[in-house]
Amino acid sequence: MASWFSQLTSTVSNITGFTEEGTVKTPAQTAKDGQYYSELTPKDYEWTLASGSATENQIFYMTTKTGGFMFVQLIYSAIGLWNPTVSFICRYYDPNTNTNIFKNLNQAYVFKLSDDRRSVKTEFFNITLDPTLSAFKISITHPDVIVDLDFNRVDKGFKVGEGKTYLGGQDQSSAAGIVSHKFWPSCNAKGTMIIDKQLYEVEAKGMFIHAIQGIQPQLIASKWNFINFQAEDAALSMMQFTTTKQYGGVEVNQGSVMLRDKLISVCVDNHVELLDLEKDTETEYDIPRRVKLTWKGQTIKENEDDQVKDVTVSMIVTVKNLIDKIDILSEIPWFLKKLVQTFVVKPYIYQWIDQATAEITVGDETVTVPGQCYQELVFVSAF
């Protein structure tokens, strides 16, 4: 996702560490009884700070009613020349004021965890999770960026099955690497951001993800798609990646549907279809002008006597508003770039936010919901 270039920078020193070809065990395959929703436990909120080639991050997305979009992200990577690498990213986009700011900032190696490992203090970026596990306090005090945000969960978070994709094995002990994701699909965010000495008030719909990549990113996937749709009465999320050829080119998809402030479905039979492709002459990638998104699943069964209903969602997004196109290699030093180019072909991140309308059907009821759809399309690896 948004931290790909930071992760590549951190992992390039060990980039030749190929793993042998193996199988993939997806989060869906770890689910039980056909229900893909799993409740987040207190342990799921802990920072693991895994060693080796691991990268861990927490990201907080925010979308306003008027099409504004922001995120802040704290990244910890186990690989560094002497110590693990700590960095953070800040994005502020507001079409109404023609403001589009992106900051990628390094920090000294300071990463002090709370006793329960759910909160962290770094040189500039602090994250505090409250005892109820339902609200984050986010504070950044950097010369270029000052942030004070309250991030409150709506309904509940989730993981799919065990919340992990196992690459080259069937469990934590046998896999060559893991990819882990935990989600809060809908939140209320409020606070302030001061960027380059300019104050911005924030009141937005939010989404939170805690991600761990226990293997170098160019070995995980050739392509990622990420969707974060926020509306007054609904929220949709989808994360899809295609594993590299050495892991069979398997599509791994995790999605969620929220309606009327309730998480109603966690589903994996979801699809991203890129339409009306046009070649970007700068990158040579085929980029869509429209994207068809579909979710298919069932309502969450919270009690034994609950009646499960089918859930489907369809949305076609006309891609108009490109807020950034990031050349990952341009973000790393020349000598590291030469190493990366041997293994990664033109890695790029495309980021859009556009108006869209979702058609959500639950059982016999269908509603149409207009909102703002943020999308990322990430080209990572040629493996």
Side-chain angles (χ1 to χ4, degrees), residues 57-350:
N57 73 84
Q58 290 188 345
I59 185 165
F60 301 83
Y61 294 102
M62 292 156 278
T63 308
T64 71
K65 295 179 182 178
T66 57
F69 179 76
M70 310 97 196
F71 67 76
V72 292
Q73 180 178 31
L74 179 62
I75 304 160
Y76 175 95
S77 181
I79 295 179
L81 291 177
W82 306 110
N83 292 306
T85 302
V86 181
S87 61
F88 72 92
I89 295 172
C90 177
R91 155 78 68 195
Y92 184 90
Y93 170 76
D94 184 0
N96 301 295
T97 59
N98 199 30
T99 305
N100 195 353
I101 303 169
F102 181 79
K103 300 283 188 180
N104 173 33
L105 300 165
N106 291 319
Q107 304 185 88
Y109 173 58
V110 177
F111 209 90
K112 184 177 180 181
L113 293 176
S114 59
D115 291 341
D116 59 16
R117 302 181 69 87
R118 299 171 200 153
S119 301
V120 60
K121 292 184 177 181
T122 72
E123 183 182 14
F124 301 116
F125 197 136
N126 298 336
I127 299 173
T128 304
L129 179 62
D130 82 340
T132 68
L133 309 182
S134 64
F136 282 102
K137 181 74 173 180
I138 304 157
S139 173
I140 301 175
T141 54
H142 184 275
D144 294 336
V145 178
I146 299 174
V147 171
D148 182 24
L149 289 170
D150 291 309
F151 221 78
N152 294 284
R153 191 183 71 228
V154 175
D155 198 27
K156 54 195 173 192
F158 74 93
K159 59 187 176 184
V160 175
E162 295 177 5
K164 297 176 182 178
T165 301
Y166 298 102
L167 300 170
Q170 294 297 306
D171 53 30
Q172 188 95 23
S173 61
S174 64
I178 66 160
V179 183
S180 170
H181 293 99
K182 283 92 176 180
F183 304 88
W184 287 4
S186 181
C187 308
N188 291 318
K190 190 172 184 178
T192 58
M193 301 176 75
I194 301 173
I195 307 174
D196 297 331
K197 300 181 180 179
Q198 178 66 47
L199 173 66
Y200 303 98
E201 299 284 344
V202 176
E203 187 168 359
K205 295 286 187 179
M207 180 183 185
F208 162 73
I209 301 175
H210 185 165
I212 302 169
Q213 296 182 351
I215 188 173
Q216 301 143 18
Q218 79 284 354
L219 301 180
I220 296 171
S222 59
K223 186 171 67 175
W224 291 73
N225 295 93
F226 173 65
I227 292 91
N228 171 22
F229 174 83
Q230 297 290 335
E232 189 66 31
D233 295 321
L236 306 170
S237 74
M238 189 192 303
M239 181 181 293
Q240 176 177 288
F241 63 90
T242 304
T243 65
T244 54
K245 294 174 185 177
Q246 70 180 123
Y247 295 118
V250 175
E251 286 193 352
V252 179
N253 194 301
Q254 303 172 79
S256 67
V257 181
M258 290 197 66
L259 187 61
R260 303 183 185 102
D261 291 338
K262 182 176 176 61
L263 179 63
I264 63 168
S265 183
V266 171
C267 45
V268 299
D269 188 8
N270 316 311
H271 299 282
V272 180
E273 187 177 357
L274 306 183
L275 306 174
D276 304 336
L277 298 176
E278 294 183 7
K279 190 171 293 295
D280 183 336
T281 56
E282 180 185 358
T283 67
E284 297 298 315
Y285 287 121
D286 292 328
I287 304 305
R289 295 300 167 212
R290 293 186 303 141
V291 179
K292 182 178 180 180
L293 303 166
T294 55
W295 289 256
K296 183 180 178 182
Q298 294 182 322
T299 52
I300 295 172
K301 189 174 183 178
E302 298 180 344
N303 302 297
E304 278 298 320
D305 56 352
D306 283 351
Q307 293 294 315
V308 173
K309 297 180 180 180
D310 290 335
V311 178
T312 60
V313 181
S314 179
M315 180 167 61
I316 296 179
V317 185
T318 300
V319 177
K320 296 179 179 178
N321 190 22
L322 180 69
I323 60 175
D324 213 345
K325 179 172 64 175
I326 302 172
D327 176 0
I328 298 173
L329 293 186
S330 70
E331 300 290 338
I332 61 179
W334 177 86
F335 70 94
L336 294 179
K337 182 186 302 185
K338 291 303 178 184
L339 290 175
V340 175
Q341 284 176 324
T342 306
F343 302 100
V344 184
V345 180
K346 293 182 181 177
Y348 268 86
I349 302 172
Y350 290 79

